[in-house]
Amino acid sequence: MSTTQSERLRELLEPLVSSQGLDLEEIAVDTVGRKRVLRVVVDSDTGADLDRIADVSRALSAKLDETDAMGSAEYTLEVGTPGAERLLTEHRHYVRATGRLVRFQLAVGGVQLAPFLAADDEGLDLEVPGVKGRKATARRLAFDDITRARVQVEFNRKDDASDKNNDKKEEEA
């Protein structure tokens, strides 16, 4: 039986979030001054745009209003996505971050910063950037070798540059 408020809220809200085609990633109840804030983080394989966030927020709010899950004290509901520099903790997180630059903390061997090309049930295939003009090399990482992984923000992603070049070529044509 669930003992914490977060666990009870997860049991109550997760089916509703799933029915909206989203995954419930995180629930946190925080006290800010005299107010409480319920933060709900959702995501999906195709992402969660503002319309989907608004829809799930309305559905969660209605469900919370019809129960006493948050008690009688005032609270604020915040629904959002994990953000750009998300921590990768589940297999689905790795699949969603395929192609992104990730900082891996390794059990042995320190830190590896590299984009990964594919994720399967056992691990990841990385593209380790070359040093001083050398070619990139392939590396396989098993999930057991990773102690922590976080997506990194990239301001000059390769696919962004190729999209700009394609747009420029289309304008010239």
Side-chain angles (χ1 to χ4, degrees), residues 51-77:
D51 291 335
R52 289 178 81 185
I53 297 291
D55 290 343
V56 78
S57 180
R58 282 188 290 273
L60 293 177
S61 181
K63 184 70 166 181
L64 290 165
D65 286 348
E66 67 187 41
T67 68
D68 67 345
M70 288 298 292
S72 60
E74 188 176 320
Y75 69 93
T76 301
L77 172 63

PDB file of all heavy atoms in Angstrom, residues 51-77:
ATOM      1  N   ASP A  51      -0.460  22.389 -26.386  1.00  0.00           N
ATOM      2  CA  ASP A  51      -1.862  21.971 -26.389  1.00  0.00           C
ATOM      3  C   ASP A  51      -2.055  20.692 -25.571  1.00  0.00           C
ATOM      4  O   ASP A  51      -3.011  20.581 -24.801  1.00  0.00           O
ATOM      5  CB  ASP A  51      -2.371  21.760 -27.823  1.00  0.00           C
ATOM      6  CG  ASP A  51      -2.496  23.058 -28.599  1.00  0.00           C
ATOM      7  OD1 ASP A  51      -2.663  24.114 -27.954  1.00  0.00           O
ATOM      8  OD2 ASP A  51      -2.414  23.020 -29.841  1.00  0.00           O
ATOM      9  N   ARG A  52      -1.144  19.743 -25.729  1.00  0.00           N
ATOM     10  CA  ARG A  52      -1.244  18.495 -24.961  1.00  0.00           C
ATOM     11  C   ARG A  52      -1.028  18.759 -23.473  1.00  0.00           C
ATOM     12  O   ARG A  52      -1.702  18.173 -22.635  1.00  0.00           O
ATOM     13  CB  ARG A  52      -0.229  17.465 -25.462  1.00  0.00           C
ATOM     14  CG  ARG A  52      -0.596  16.908 -26.830  1.00  0.00           C
ATOM     15  CD  ARG A  52       0.412  15.936 -27.331  1.00  0.00           C
ATOM     16  NE  ARG A  52       0.183  14.629 -26.713  1.00  0.00           N
ATOM     17  CZ  ARG A  52       0.983  13.598 -26.887  1.00  0.00           C
ATOM     18  NH1 ARG A  52       2.055  13.702 -27.651  1.00  0.00           N
ATOM     19  NH2 ARG A  52       0.721  12.442 -26.314  1.00  0.00           N
ATOM     20  N   ILE A  53      -0.097  19.642 -23.153  1.00  0.00           N
ATOM     21  CA  ILE A  53       0.149  19.994 -21.753  1.00  0.00           C
ATOM     22  C   ILE A  53      -1.095  20.644 -21.154  1.00  0.00           C
ATOM     23  O   ILE A  53      -1.511  20.319 -20.041  1.00  0.00           O
ATOM     24  CB  ILE A  53       1.358  20.951 -21.630  1.00  0.00           C
ATOM     25  CG1 ILE A  53       2.642  20.279 -22.102  1.00  0.00           C
ATOM     26  CG2 ILE A  53       1.510  21.465 -20.199  1.00  0.00           C
ATOM     27  CD1 ILE A  53       3.145  19.166 -21.234  1.00  0.00           C
ATOM     28  N   ALA A  54      -1.721  21.553 -21.893  1.00  0.00           N
ATOM     29  CA  ALA A  54      -2.929  22.227 -21.405  1.00  0.00           C
ATOM     30  C   ALA A  54      -4.067  21.227 -21.201  1.00  0.00           C
ATOM     31  O   ALA A  54      -4.773  21.278 -20.189  1.00  0.00           O
ATOM     32  CB  ALA A  54      -3.353  23.321 -22.380  1.00  0.00           C
ATOM     33  N   ASP A  55      -4.228  20.296 -22.146  1.00  0.00           N
ATOM     34  CA  ASP A  55      -5.283  19.288 -22.026  1.00  0.00           C
ATOM     35  C   ASP A  55      -5.087  18.413 -20.792  1.00  0.00           C
ATOM     36  O   ASP A  55      -6.021  18.179 -20.029  1.00  0.00           O
ATOM     37  CB  ASP A  55      -5.335  18.397 -23.272  1.00  0.00           C
ATOM     38  CG  ASP A  55      -5.846  19.137 -24.503  1.00  0.00           C
ATOM     39  OD1 ASP A  55      -6.449  20.218 -24.354  1.00  0.00           O
ATOM     40  OD2 ASP A  55      -5.620  18.617 -25.625  1.00  0.00           O
ATOM     41  N   VAL A  56      -3.866  17.940 -20.593  1.00  0.00           N
ATOM     42  CA  VAL A  56      -3.612  17.071 -19.441  1.00  0.00           C
ATOM     43  C   VAL A  56      -3.701  17.864 -18.143  1.00  0.00           C
ATOM     44  O   VAL A  56      -4.169  17.354 -17.123  1.00  0.00           O
ATOM     45  CB  VAL A  56      -2.275  16.301 -19.579  1.00  0.00           C
ATOM     46  CG1 VAL A  56      -1.068  17.156 -19.258  1.00  0.00           C
ATOM     47  CG2 VAL A  56      -2.276  15.061 -18.697  1.00  0.00           C
ATOM     48  N   SER A  57      -3.314  19.119 -18.168  1.00  0.00           N
ATOM     49  CA  SER A  57      -3.412  19.962 -16.981  1.00  0.00           C
ATOM     50  C   SER A  57      -4.871  20.128 -16.557  1.00  0.00           C
ATOM     51  O   SER A  57      -5.197  20.012 -15.374  1.00  0.00           O
ATOM     52  CB  SER A  57      -2.768  21.327 -17.249  1.00  0.00           C
ATOM     53  OG  SER A  57      -2.850  22.140 -16.113  1.00  0.00           O
ATOM     54  N   ARG A  58      -5.755  20.392 -17.526  1.00  0.00           N
ATOM     55  CA  ARG A  58      -7.182  20.524 -17.218  1.00  0.00           C
ATOM     56  C   ARG A  58      -7.750  19.218 -16.666  1.00  0.00           C
ATOM     57  O   ARG A  58      -8.515  19.216 -15.698  1.00  0.00           O
ATOM     58  CB  ARG A  58      -7.963  20.967 -18.461  1.00  0.00           C
ATOM     59  CG  ARG A  58      -7.819  22.449 -18.759  1.00  0.00           C
ATOM     60  CD  ARG A  58      -8.768  22.880 -19.875  1.00  0.00           C
ATOM     61  NE  ARG A  58      -8.378  22.350 -21.170  1.00  0.00           N
ATOM     62  CZ  ARG A  58      -7.517  22.942 -21.994  1.00  0.00           C
ATOM     63  NH1 ARG A  58      -6.960  24.089 -21.653  1.00  0.00           N
ATOM     64  NH2 ARG A  58      -7.220  22.403 -23.155  1.00  0.00           N
ATOM     65  N   ALA A  59      -7.353  18.097 -17.268  1.00  0.00           N
ATOM     66  CA  ALA A  59      -7.854  16.799 -16.811  1.00  0.00           C
ATOM     67  C   ALA A  59      -7.362  16.483 -15.397  1.00  0.00           C
ATOM     68  O   ALA A  59      -8.127  16.000 -14.551  1.00  0.00           O
ATOM     69  CB  ALA A  59      -7.421  15.700 -17.782  1.00  0.00           C
ATOM     70  N   LEU A  60      -6.085  16.770 -15.123  1.00  0.00           N
ATOM     71  CA  LEU A  60      -5.536  16.522 -13.780  1.00  0.00           C
ATOM     72  C   LEU A  60      -6.206  17.422 -12.752  1.00  0.00           C
ATOM     73  O   LEU A  60      -6.532  16.981 -11.647  1.00  0.00           O
ATOM     74  CB  LEU A  60      -4.022  16.750 -13.764  1.00  0.00           C
ATOM     75  CG  LEU A  60      -3.177  15.781 -14.576  1.00  0.00           C
ATOM     76  CD1 LEU A  60      -1.714  16.177 -14.514  1.00  0.00           C
ATOM     77  CD2 LEU A  60      -3.371  14.347 -14.129  1.00  0.00           C
ATOM     78  N   SER A  61      -6.421  18.671 -13.109  1.00  0.00           N
ATOM     79  CA  SER A  61      -7.057  19.615 -12.198  1.00  0.00           C
ATOM     80  C   SER A  61      -8.469  19.151 -11.832  1.00  0.00           C
ATOM     81  O   SER A  61      -8.857  19.170 -10.658  1.00  0.00           O
ATOM     82  CB  SER A  61      -7.099  21.005 -12.838  1.00  0.00           C
ATOM     83  OG  SER A  61      -7.691  21.923 -11.965  1.00  0.00           O
ATOM     84  N   ALA A  62      -9.222  18.703 -12.834  1.00  0.00           N
ATOM     85  CA  ALA A  62     -10.586  18.213 -12.576  1.00  0.00           C
ATOM     86  C   ALA A  62     -10.563  16.990 -11.669  1.00  0.00           C
ATOM     87  O   ALA A  62     -11.365  16.880 -10.734  1.00  0.00           O
ATOM     88  CB  ALA A  62     -11.281  17.894 -13.897  1.00  0.00           C
ATOM     89  N   LYS A  63      -9.620  16.076 -11.920  1.00  0.00           N
ATOM     90  CA  LYS A  63      -9.516  14.860 -11.099  1.00  0.00           C
ATOM     91  C   LYS A  63      -9.147  15.217  -9.663  1.00  0.00           C
ATOM     92  O   LYS A  63      -9.718  14.668  -8.716  1.00  0.00           O
ATOM     93  CB  LYS A  63      -8.468  13.913 -11.708  1.00  0.00           C
ATOM     94  CG  LYS A  63      -8.341  12.593 -11.014  1.00  0.00           C
ATOM     95  CD  LYS A  63      -9.573  11.770 -11.270  1.00  0.00           C
ATOM     96  CE  LYS A  63      -9.365  10.332 -10.891  1.00  0.00           C
ATOM     97  NZ  LYS A  63     -10.545   9.525 -11.163  1.00  0.00           N
ATOM     98  N   LEU A  64      -8.218  16.128  -9.488  1.00  0.00           N
ATOM     99  CA  LEU A  64      -7.805  16.536  -8.143  1.00  0.00           C
ATOM    100  C   LEU A  64      -8.942  17.253  -7.412  1.00  0.00           C
ATOM    101  O   LEU A  64      -9.098  17.092  -6.203  1.00  0.00           O
ATOM    102  CB  LEU A  64      -6.561  17.423  -8.208  1.00  0.00           C
ATOM    103  CG  LEU A  64      -5.273  16.694  -8.623  1.00  0.00           C
ATOM    104  CD1 LEU A  64      -4.195  17.695  -9.004  1.00  0.00           C
ATOM    105  CD2 LEU A  64      -4.790  15.771  -7.523  1.00  0.00           C
ATOM    106  N   ASP A  65      -9.742  18.030  -8.158  1.00  0.00           N
ATOM    107  CA  ASP A  65     -10.868  18.747  -7.544  1.00  0.00           C
ATOM    108  C   ASP A  65     -11.942  17.791  -7.030  1.00  0.00           C
ATOM    109  O   ASP A  65     -12.606  18.070  -6.032  1.00  0.00           O
ATOM    110  CB  ASP A  65     -11.498  19.735  -8.532  1.00  0.00           C
ATOM    111  CG  ASP A  65     -10.637  20.964  -8.765  1.00  0.00           C
ATOM    112  OD1 ASP A  65      -9.672  21.172  -7.994  1.00  0.00           O
ATOM    113  OD2 ASP A  65     -10.915  21.700  -9.738  1.00  0.00           O
ATOM    114  N   GLU A  66     -12.108  16.666  -7.699  1.00  0.00           N
ATOM    115  CA  GLU A  66     -13.156  15.723  -7.279  1.00  0.00           C
ATOM    116  C   GLU A  66     -12.687  14.740  -6.201  1.00  0.00           C
ATOM    117  O   GLU A  66     -13.472  13.946  -5.717  1.00  0.00           O
ATOM    118  CB  GLU A  66     -13.746  14.979  -8.479  1.00  0.00           C
ATOM    119  CG  GLU A  66     -12.799  14.027  -9.163  1.00  0.00           C
ATOM    120  CD  GLU A  66     -13.363  13.420 -10.446  1.00  0.00           C
ATOM    121  OE1 GLU A  66     -14.006  14.137 -11.223  1.00  0.00           O
ATOM    122  OE2 GLU A  66     -13.141  12.219 -10.650  1.00  0.00           O
ATOM    123  N   THR A  67     -11.433  14.812  -5.826  1.00  0.00           N
ATOM    124  CA  THR A  67     -10.911  13.963  -4.748  1.00  0.00           C
ATOM    125  C   THR A  67     -10.324  14.858  -3.657  1.00  0.00           C
ATOM    126  O   THR A  67     -10.188  16.067  -3.843  1.00  0.00           O
ATOM    127  CB  THR A  67      -9.798  13.022  -5.255  1.00  0.00           C
ATOM    128  OG1 THR A  67      -8.643  13.800  -5.601  1.00  0.00           O
ATOM    129  CG2 THR A  67     -10.253  12.212  -6.460  1.00  0.00           C
ATOM    130  N   ASP A  68      -9.927  14.265  -2.565  1.00  0.00           N
ATOM    131  CA  ASP A  68      -9.249  15.035  -1.514  1.00  0.00           C
ATOM    132  C   ASP A  68      -7.758  14.682  -1.456  1.00  0.00           C
ATOM    133  O   ASP A  68      -7.130  14.777  -0.415  1.00  0.00           O
ATOM    134  CB  ASP A  68      -9.926  14.798  -0.162  1.00  0.00           C
ATOM    135  CG  ASP A  68      -9.752  13.371   0.340  1.00  0.00           C
ATOM    136  OD1 ASP A  68      -9.361  12.502  -0.462  1.00  0.00           O
ATOM    137  OD2 ASP A  68      -9.988  13.141   1.538  1.00  0.00           O
ATOM    138  N   ALA A  69      -7.213  14.294  -2.601  1.00  0.00           N
ATOM    139  CA  ALA A  69      -5.820  13.851  -2.664  1.00  0.00           C
ATOM    140  C   ALA A  69      -4.835  14.921  -2.196  1.00  0.00           C
ATOM    141  O   ALA A  69      -3.787  14.616  -1.643  1.00  0.00           O
ATOM    142  CB  ALA A  69      -5.459  13.407  -4.078  1.00  0.00           C
ATOM    143  N   MET A  70      -5.170  16.189  -2.410  1.00  0.00           N
ATOM    144  CA  MET A  70      -4.294  17.279  -1.993  1.00  0.00           C
ATOM    145  C   MET A  70      -4.760  17.914  -0.676  1.00  0.00           C
ATOM    146  O   MET A  70      -4.174  18.883  -0.220  1.00  0.00           O
ATOM    147  CB  MET A  70      -4.205  18.350  -3.091  1.00  0.00           C
ATOM    148  CG  MET A  70      -3.409  17.934  -4.312  1.00  0.00           C
ATOM    149  SD  MET A  70      -1.680  17.562  -3.953  1.00  0.00           S
ATOM    150  CE  MET A  70      -1.065  19.172  -3.534  1.00  0.00           C
ATOM    151  N   GLY A  71      -5.806  17.372  -0.089  1.00  0.00           N
ATOM    152  CA  GLY A  71      -6.319  17.945   1.156  1.00  0.00           C
ATOM    153  C   GLY A  71      -7.084  19.225   0.887  1.00  0.00           C
ATOM    154  O   GLY A  71      -7.363  19.574  -0.260  1.00  0.00           O
ATOM    155  N   SER A  72      -7.408  19.923   1.966  1.00  0.00           N
ATOM    156  CA  SER A  72      -8.227  21.128   1.824  1.00  0.00           C
ATOM    157  C   SER A  72      -7.400  22.401   1.666  1.00  0.00           C
ATOM    158  O   SER A  72      -7.934  23.447   1.309  1.00  0.00           O
ATOM    159  CB  SER A  72      -9.156  21.270   3.028  1.00  0.00           C
ATOM    160  OG  SER A  72      -8.380  21.356   4.208  1.00  0.00           O
ATOM    161  N   ALA A  73      -6.113  22.339   1.930  1.00  0.00           N
ATOM    162  CA  ALA A  73      -5.268  23.531   1.817  1.00  0.00           C
ATOM    163  C   ALA A  73      -5.054  23.902   0.347  1.00  0.00           C
ATOM    164  O   ALA A  73      -5.048  23.049  -0.533  1.00  0.00           O
ATOM    165  CB  ALA A  73      -3.919  23.282   2.487  1.00  0.00           C
ATOM    166  N   GLU A  74      -4.881  25.189   0.120  1.00  0.00           N
ATOM    167  CA  GLU A  74      -4.668  25.708  -1.236  1.00  0.00           C
ATOM    168  C   GLU A  74      -3.360  25.176  -1.814  1.00  0.00           C
ATOM    169  O   GLU A  74      -2.366  25.008  -1.113  1.00  0.00           O
ATOM    170  CB  GLU A  74      -4.628  27.234  -1.173  1.00  0.00           C
ATOM    171  CG  GLU A  74      -4.612  27.903  -2.522  1.00  0.00           C
ATOM    172  CD  GLU A  74      -4.664  29.414  -2.398  1.00  0.00           C
ATOM    173  OE1 GLU A  74      -5.398  29.921  -1.539  1.00  0.00           O
ATOM    174  OE2 GLU A  74      -3.946  30.069  -3.175  1.00  0.00           O
ATOM    175  N   TYR A  75      -3.365  24.935  -3.133  1.00  0.00           N
ATOM    176  CA  TYR A  75      -2.150  24.496  -3.823  1.00  0.00           C
ATOM    177  C   TYR A  75      -2.202  24.992  -5.259  1.00  0.00           C
ATOM    178  O   TYR A  75      -3.259  25.362  -5.776  1.00  0.00           O
ATOM    179  CB  TYR A  75      -1.990  22.972  -3.783  1.00  0.00           C
ATOM    180  CG  TYR A  75      -3.015  22.235  -4.605  1.00  0.00           C
ATOM    181  CD1 TYR A  75      -2.763  21.878  -5.921  1.00  0.00           C
ATOM    182  CD2 TYR A  75      -4.260  21.897  -4.068  1.00  0.00           C
ATOM    183  CE1 TYR A  75      -3.706  21.213  -6.678  1.00  0.00           C
ATOM    184  CE2 TYR A  75      -5.216  21.239  -4.814  1.00  0.00           C
ATOM    185  CZ  TYR A  75      -4.928  20.900  -6.121  1.00  0.00           C
ATOM    186  OH  TYR A  75      -5.868  20.249  -6.874  1.00  0.00           O
ATOM    187  N   THR A  76      -1.055  24.975  -5.912  1.00  0.00           N
ATOM    188  CA  THR A  76      -0.941  25.338  -7.321  1.00  0.00           C
ATOM    189  C   THR A  76      -0.488  24.109  -8.085  1.00  0.00           C
ATOM    190  O   THR A  76       0.444  23.424  -7.663  1.00  0.00           O
ATOM    191  CB  THR A  76       0.095  26.474  -7.510  1.00  0.00           C
ATOM    192  OG1 THR A  76      -0.320  27.602  -6.743  1.00  0.00           O
ATOM    193  CG2 THR A  76       0.227  26.862  -8.965  1.00  0.00           C
ATOM    194  N   LEU A  77      -1.134  23.824  -9.202  1.00  0.00           N
ATOM    195  CA  LEU A  77      -0.767  22.713 -10.069  1.00  0.00           C
ATOM    196  C   LEU A  77       0.098  23.244 -11.204  1.00  0.00           C
ATOM    197  O   LEU A  77      -0.296  24.174 -11.905  1.00  0.00           O
ATOM    198  CB  LEU A  77      -2.019  22.039 -10.635  1.00  0.00           C
ATOM    199  CG  LEU A  77      -1.799  20.965 -11.704  1.00  0.00           C
ATOM    200  CD1 LEU A  77      -1.021  19.777 -11.137  1.00  0.00           C
ATOM    201  CD2 LEU A  77      -3.145  20.510 -12.273  1.00  0.00           C
TER     202      LEU A  77
END
